[in-house]
Amino acid sequence: MQNNVSEFRKKFGYSQDKLAEKLGVSRQTIISIEKGKYNPSLPLAMVMARLFHAKLEDVFILEEDDFK
């Protein structure tokens, strides 16, 4: 799954530390999500989208390979 977390984070002026603090996760979690090494839980993804005033599918992009 790809994501636009980094783009949204920068648009809102959040550092990785600040976003992690707002979401109650570690900075390493944010780094891993942004690099595509970790897919967040559905509740965390929904909270992130809400924080960015965006639709879930605008923040996280499901690809065909994700269905295999």
Side-chain angles (χ1 to χ4, degrees), residues 1-67:
M1 178 166 44
Q2 291 192 359
N3 69 74
N4 294 315
V5 173
S6 178
E7 290 82 359
F8 276 101
R9 176 177 60 77
K10 291 172 185 174
K11 177 182 174 183
F12 280 79
Y14 296 140
S15 65
Q16 289 173 330
D17 283 324
K18 187 64 174 178
L19 180 58
E21 180 183 317
K22 285 187 164 291
L23 296 171
V25 299
S26 69
R27 179 175 172 264
Q28 187 59 44
T29 297
I30 300 302
I31 292 169
S32 295
I33 291 170
E34 288 184 357
K35 289 184 175 182
K37 294 184 178 188
Y38 171 73
N39 291 327
S41 65
L42 183 56
L44 178 57
M46 292 177 80
V47 170
M48 292 175 88
R50 184 172 291 168
L51 181 67
F52 296 142
H53 307 284
K55 294 179 184 176
L56 187 61
E57 58 268 23
D58 291 337
V59 181
F60 297 94
I61 300 98
L62 196 61
E63 298 176 314
E64 272 191 49
D65 291 344
D66 295 327
F67 293 107

